[in-house]
Amino acid sequence: MVDVLIIGAGFGGAVAGRILAEKGKKVEIIEKRDHIGGNCYDCFDDHGVLIHKYGPHIFHTKIKEVYDFLSRFTEWYPYKHEVLANVYGTYLPVPFNLNTLHKVFQEDADEIEELLVSTYGKESRVPILKLRESSNPKLQKVADYIYENVFLNYTMKQWGKKPEEIDPSVTGRVPVLVSYDNGYFQDDYQGMPKDGFTPLFEKMLKHENIKVTLSTDAKNVLKLENGKIYRDGKEFNGLVIFTGAVDEFFDCKYGRLPYRTLHFVSKYFEEDSYQPVAVVNYTVDQDYTRITEYKKLTGQKVKGTSIMEEYPASYTDPLKETPYYSIANDENLALYEKYQKEASSYKNFYLLGRLAEYKYYNIDGITKKAMELAETLS
Ligand code: FAD
Ligand code: UDP
């Protein structure tokens, strides 16, 4: 018998599992896929190129404790993520920043830069929806340009909605930068695990108190009934940390939580290089949102190159699709609360992670949350 049962071997489950194991708890992690790492799993494709099976992942954080904790399991390849938008065949740095401004607005750019600095401050981060509220006609013109050419089409593809129709925190992730920084993230710690994410997970989960059981759906081994938790039919009195989709676990009894999914199309080219940077966003055309060229992300020296196109869609078929992005709005959060309430009626049953908390976590956010939860449970 173990002390802690964790459902899911992504960052949430693995970080919590490692900390609890180090505190002396016997931990079992049950994972329905045939591999660890959750959506951050990476592997070599048929051409020997290291790819991320579930879309590109770049580690970045401002939180030193998170960086220090993960650094116990990996060295870092010092990669600074810079993204270009393909706007009618011209590459523009995103987030839209002062370099982009000068490229697009040329002779008017100095005056607009002064306006941006005097209105919002140097180095400030201005969400596009806030910039659009400006009453200054020159700033309005810039805001309209950015909205039309960077946000509108990409957001329609990604969410099936206009930027103003989704939670403002989503487009706020990629603000207009009143600085000359071309970086996608402005975090002190950034990088890629030197040997990949999967080896990071292997090291994190290698502990005498951790057992990992793959290819096992929690729904087949875990039952919650009348306030009690059962494992394979026997009452389980330990802790359970659940990181899967909470609606599916409760048989969608209150209704299905809406998600966006992604379909990935992978391609290999004999050429050494496909595009100028690791990620190019297609912000005005194409059906895919972005193309990732993996060797430029991981720093792998390899002949040929592998790319991945991302096609967003609404999530309709749990058997064939993966729920990637929760859709935060009042209606969905109210539905989520019903599941959360039901889950919290079971003592020792904890929801953690992007799916179980129906929350848009980055790697650092979920790592921090898992560290905190594990501390309170140990
Ligand atoms: P997951 O990684 O989804 O892990 C949950 C695990 O639980 C999965 O392995 C799943 O198979 C398992 N599971 C679910 N249900 C069950 C069940 N019933 N039984 C058993 N196992 C189950 N973050 C960044 O910081 N940087 C990035 O560049 C970045 N890029 C991203 C790109 C994409 C396309 C997406 C979708 C996300 C990105 N993220 C990024 C976010 C990052 O993926 C998450 O923060 C992280 O994966 C969350 O970890 P988690 O443990 O909550 O969930
Ligand atoms: N976004 C956009 N154009 C871009 C980049 C981002 O419209 O070139 C918007 C879009 O709505 C997206 C959100 O900003 O969903 C957040 O982007 P981010 O790159 O953080 O998304 P993720 O990497 O999580 O998919």
Side-chain angles (χ1 to χ4, degrees):
M1 265 299 181
V2 294
D3 304 308
V4 187
L5 204 52
I6 296 181
I7 312 307
F11 265 107
V15 168
R18 175 71 190 209
I19 294 172
L20 288 164
E22 286 178 358
K23 304 266 184 192
K25 305 266 190 216
K26 295 265 180 234
V27 174
E28 180 176 359
I29 302 184
I30 293 180
E31 168 57 58
K32 74 174 172 190
R33 291 172 174 161
D34 62 1
H35 60 74
I36 56 174
N39 286 342
C40 298
Y41 171 74
D42 53 17
C43 58
F44 292 94
D45 68 9
D46 294 345
H47 307 280
V49 182
L50 183 62
I51 59 150
H52 296 186
K53 187 170 175 188
Y54 307 100
H57 283 79
I58 301 104
F59 176 71
H60 58 99
T61 191
K62 293 185 186 355
I63 312 167
K64 186 174 182 303
E65 294 87 323
V66 165
Y67 174 76
D68 287 345
F69 179 77
L70 296 181
S71 299
R72 291 175 51 200
F73 312 108
T74 188
E75 289 177 40
W76 300 96
Y77 163 62
Y79 170 77
K80 188 183 176 207
H81 195 41
E82 292 194 0
V83 174
L84 293 173
N86 182 321
V87 180
Y88 302 114
T90 300
Y91 288 123
L92 298 178
V94 273
F96 193 99
N97 61 50
L98 296 178
N99 292 312
T100 329
L101 177 79
H102 282 269
K103 220 172 157 177
V104 174
F105 287 89
Q106 300 184 0
E107 60 270 20
D108 288 339
D110 284 336
E111 192 191 344
I112 300 167
E113 176 176 343
E114 270 177 38
L115 261 174
L116 283 167
V117 171
S118 62
T119 313
Y120 302 103
K122 226 174 165 2
E123 308 291 321
S124 59
R125 300 160 59 82
V126 190
I128 182 60
L129 297 178
K130 186 171 172 208
L131 190 62
R132 286 200 104 203
E133 288 167 4
S134 167
S135 53
N136 181 302
K138 291 215 162 93
L139 290 184
Q140 268 175 11
K141 195 174 129 200
V142 177
D144 284 349
Y145 176 89
I146 301 171
Y147 178 85
E148 293 284 338
N149 291 285
V150 179
F151 285 95
L152 181 57
N153 200 266
Y154 189 104
T155 302
M156 283 303 298
K157 286 187 273 185
Q158 177 75 9
W159 299 99
K161 287 192 169 18
K162 291 182 178 173
E164 59 273 26
E165 293 169 342
I166 61 173
D167 192 281
S169 64
V170 176
T171 46
R173 288 167 60 91
V174 187
V176 174
L177 298 180
V178 188
S179 77
Y180 283 93
D181 183 1
N182 279 342
Y184 204 68
F185 311 115
Q186 283 67 51
D187 289 346
D188 291 344
Y189 306 100
Q190 295 189 40
M192 299 296 288
K194 201 159 166 242
D195 300 318
F197 279 99
T198 305
L200 183 164
F201 276 89
E202 280 163 0
K203 278 205 181 132
M204 187 154 46
L205 296 175
K206 194 164 186 282
H207 189 283
E208 57 183 2
N209 286 342
I210 299 181
K211 178 184 171 201
V212 179
T213 306
L214 295 176
S215 307
T216 304
D217 192 324
K219 283 195 77 173
N220 298 330
V221 294
L222 201 63
K223 291 267 173 295
L224 268 54
E225 235 168 52
N226 302 326
K228 289 186 175 160
I229 302 174
Y230 298 88
R231 159 86 199 261
D232 292 325
K234 289 202 194 95
E235 192 173 339
F236 179 73
N237 290 310
L239 304 172
V240 177
I241 299 176
F242 184 81
T243 76
V246 67
D247 56 335
E248 275 167 32
F249 187 67
F250 287 108
D251 297 321
C252 298
K253 63 192 278 190
Y254 303 114
R256 189 169 280 291
L257 281 166
Y259 282 95
R260 296 293 285 174
T261 190
L262 296 169
H263 300 291
F264 300 110
V265 174
S266 301
K267 294 179 182 165
Y268 173 78
F269 298 95
E270 298 286 346
E271 287 77 30
D272 256 358
S273 173
Y274 179 81
Q275 60 188 25
V277 288
V279 174
V280 172
N281 287 359
Y282 284 77
T283 56
V284 288
D285 53 15
Q286 307 299 345
D287 289 337
Y288 42 80
T289 46
R290 57 186 176 189
I291 294 185
T292 300
E293 184 175 8
Y294 279 105
K295 68 196 276 190
K296 296 210 165 92
L297 201 63
T298 60
Q300 187 190 10
K301 301 274 175 277
V302 62
K303 244 176 81 60
T305 194
S306 294
I307 65 151
M308 195 185 246
E309 299 165 351
E310 280 173 59
Y311 296 81
S314 55
Y315 169 71
T316 51
D317 185 349
L319 294 177
K320 292 200 194 116
E321 296 168 344
T322 306
Y324 285 111
Y325 293 95
S326 54
I327 305 170
N329 62 35
D330 291 347
E331 192 185 344
N332 297 350
L333 294 176
L335 177 56
Y336 172 73
E337 262 179 38
K338 293 187 183 171
Y339 288 106
Q340 192 187 27
K341 199 165 162 223
E342 170 117 11
S344 66
S345 72
Y346 288 85
K347 199 170 151 259
N348 295 337
F349 186 79
Y350 298 90
L351 300 176
L352 174 73
R354 247 202 181 200
L355 294 167
E357 294 182 71
Y358 200 64
K359 207 168 166 180
Y360 204 147
Y361 277 121
N362 284 333
I363 294 168
D364 64 334
I366 186 53
T367 298
K368 182 162 189 286
K369 186 75 194 285
M371 290 169 76
E372 286 166 358
L373 178 66
E375 286 298 335
T376 61
L377 297 180
S378 56

